[in-house]
Amino acid sequence: MLYQRSSQLFAEAEKVIPGGVNSPVRAFKSVGGTPIFVKSAKGAYLYDEDGNRLIDYINSWGPMILGHAYEPVVSAVIERTKLGTSFGMPTALETEIATLAISMVPNIEKIRFVNSGTEACMSAIRLARGFTKRDKIIKFAGCYHGHSDSFLIQAGSGASTFGTPNSPGVTAGTAKDTLLARYNDLENVSQLIAANPNEIAAIIVEPVAGNMGCIPPKEGFLEGLRQLCTSNDILLIFDEVMTGFRLAKGGVQELYGVDADIVTFGKVIGGGLPVGAFAARAEIMDYLAPIGPVYQAGTLSGNPLAMAAGLAMLQAINEDDQLFQRLDAKTAYLEEGIQNAFADTNLLYTINRVGSMISVHFDASPVVDFQTAANGDNQTFKQFFHGLLQEGIYIAPSAYETWFITDALTYEDLDFTIEAIRKVATTL
């Protein structure tokens, strides 16, 4: 496949947009080459500016669980647009989607809508600190919660030390309140809590990690976090920006039967438009302004176009009792196909999957945290990525990202993908 038009467009973009992109992973820095410029999408397919058709396995990084240009969502947005695009005032639509979301997700009583997953996680941390009257938080290496200052932290020198900024512009004062733990390591979390008694407001975690590839929680990990938080009066925050409404109607809380104190959402909840949300029991949410002391606001929060898209998406998911079984079956079929495609090669690999999230790691050892994810052979991944791209398959341009499966994929699409993987694998 040729990507001449994309190369031209990228050169033009670099002149007026930093790095030529508005989100860094799109720039192909991890894999090399020129990013693909999309012209349109429908169902399971992307159509780029060069006229190529690509089978899509990132689906806008998760939200297109029912496929691109899903007709009920498109129609809902068009109809709402005719009534006005933004008011900065309440609409009945906000209450309607809030009521539906609360009915689908266990253990939440109130929800507030914002404009992105980053904003949702940032607000959840502020709320947790205000509610507990404590300053410190624990996050996990490799878990991504957006680009607010509290989350752009790398490891310190030991289990009881503070993190340090890993981006210029993040102050040391901010970093000192973020403690970094190892994913799937309860003992490490216990050590951090013991070293900072009565100082930790919240533990925030991707309950199924998706930003170091797909990494499931070990048996007992989420339950252990719940117990540690309960015993130490710490709030447990599940970042379900990726997993919410994707792994089950009620997300990971439903899937694993573990209750969080605060849950953040994005991606699927917006139906492809910019939406985020955070939710909790009423006791916690009522700490938010205008009835509580914790301030959070947004001019475009609850935007009617975004609410219309999100409502149409959640309604479709809620009314389809077989959706998650279909998604799981299709992703399991793909997993088995990849294993078969690799069987006659000398490739070292591990495949991780939870529901419709799956990732391929080019290392034979189990991938359970950021350190083990980093052991993968990135050079092989680069060749794998570009090989699939030439075959018309688009996966995430980073070894540290999960693939997202859409229900719009047919088994013919999956067979085509598996055969492409087989072809590429023989060259690696």
Side-chain angles (χ1 to χ4, degrees), residues 334-345:
L334 177 63
E335 178 183 15
E336 183 179 3
I338 297 172
Q339 289 173 337
N340 291 335
F342 287 169
D344 295 328
T345 71

Side-chain angles (χ1 to χ4, degrees), residues 94-314:
E94 295 164 71
T95 304
E96 189 175 359
I97 186 174
T99 302
L100 178 56
I102 289 168
S103 74
M104 294 172 69
V105 179
N107 198 43
I108 63 172
E109 296 175 322
K110 293 188 176 182
I111 187 169
R112 177 161 286 181
F113 287 92
V114 292
N115 298 293
S116 69
T118 290
E119 192 178 340
C121 292
M122 175 185 72
S123 301
I125 288 296
R126 183 182 301 162
L127 176 59
R129 284 171 165 155
F131 183 80
T132 62
K133 299 177 176 59
R134 298 175 178 179
D135 292 338
K136 294 178 183 176
I137 64 169
I138 294 176
K139 74 172 292 286
F140 293 88
C143 286
Y144 180 70
H145 308 291
H147 62 269
S148 65
D149 288 1
S150 295
F151 303 130
L152 295 181
I153 306 300
Q154 62 187 6
S157 58
S160 62
T161 64
F162 303 120
T164 57
N166 66 351
S167 172
V170 178
T171 67
T174 298
K176 73 177 178 60
D177 288 328
T178 299
L179 307 173
L180 203 67
R182 290 187 295 272
Y183 193 76
N184 274 325
D185 189 337
L186 285 174
E187 180 59 32
N188 182 226
V189 178
S190 297
Q191 292 172 2
L192 289 173
I193 293 173
N196 298 272
N198 302 312
E199 294 183 83
I200 298 170
I203 296 175
I204 185 168
V205 63
E206 287 183 273
V208 173
N211 284 286
M212 41 186 161
C214 176
I215 298 183
K218 288 183 177 178
E219 184 176 353
F221 177 62
L222 297 180
E223 293 84 351
L225 290 180
R226 177 67 276 171
Q227 184 176 1
L228 284 170
C229 286
T230 301
S231 300
N232 292 278
D233 296 321
I234 295 168
L235 296 184
L236 178 60
I237 302 174
F238 277 2
D239 176 352
E240 294 222 46
V241 169
M242 283 187 176
T243 59
F245 307 103
R246 168 165 281 280
L247 297 184
K249 288 183 181 180
V252 168
Q253 289 190 105
E254 175 188 328
L255 187 65
Y256 288 98
V258 178
D259 289 341
D261 295 300
I262 304 175
V263 188
T264 65
F265 301 103
K267 302 190 185 298
V268 172
I269 201 174
L273 271 69
V275 182
F278 59 107
R281 63 183 184 270
E283 176 191 11
I284 296 174
M285 294 302 287
D286 286 347
Y287 258 67
L288 287 172
I291 57 175
V294 176
Y295 193 74
Q296 181 276 326
T299 299
L300 291 176
S301 295
N303 174 269
L305 303 188
M307 296 294 93
L311 179 61
M313 179 65 79
L314 294 193

